[in-house]
Amino acid sequence: MKSEDAILALGALAQGTRLEAFRLLAAHEPDGLAAGAIADALAVPQNTMSSHLAVLARAGLIRSQRYSRSIVYRADLARFQEVALFLIKDCCGGRPELCAPLIADLQPCCAPAAKPTRGKARAKS
């Protein structure tokens, strides 16, 4: 990722409403939300929300698709991952021990779900 792309993405997220809109969309993956639902959830006028969504889209952090009269927005989590990795890789400066605490903190929230065991009935307590 180029520095300019990271700056554009970070700049888009450096405003409260846009940050909350991105977080809301990330929480609603993979279905996304209609623009009106985003505006309602964040208590923002629809025309203002439209401007915020346009900034996020220009930064590549969200995508939109028209369904009839609605526009549904989705977070581009792959793009967000690129931005996060850009920051993490540069912060270490070739010294991975500097980022080890950050990576350890990410593990609880991002660990893959445990696979269910087959054929074993659980005893009820």
Side-chain angles (χ1 to χ4, degrees), residues 1-73:
M1 169 170 276
K2 296 178 185 175
S3 292
E4 296 81 16
D5 294 333
I7 291 167
L8 185 62
L10 293 169
L13 294 172
Q15 195 279 338
T17 302
R18 291 193 294 266
L19 178 61
E20 289 306 312
F22 180 80
R23 293 181 71 201
L24 181 65
L25 289 171
H28 282 84
E29 276 299 304
D31 300 323
L33 287 172
I38 300 166
D40 290 344
L42 300 179
V44 174
Q46 288 191 12
N47 61 337
T48 303
M49 191 75 251
S50 178
S51 297
H52 287 304
L53 293 170
V55 172
L56 290 168
R58 278 192 300 277
L61 294 169
I62 64 171
R63 292 174 276 120
S64 63
Q65 188 170 4
R66 181 172 286 282
Y67 292 101
S68 185
R69 294 174 50 188
S70 295
I71 299 175
V72 174
Y73 289 87

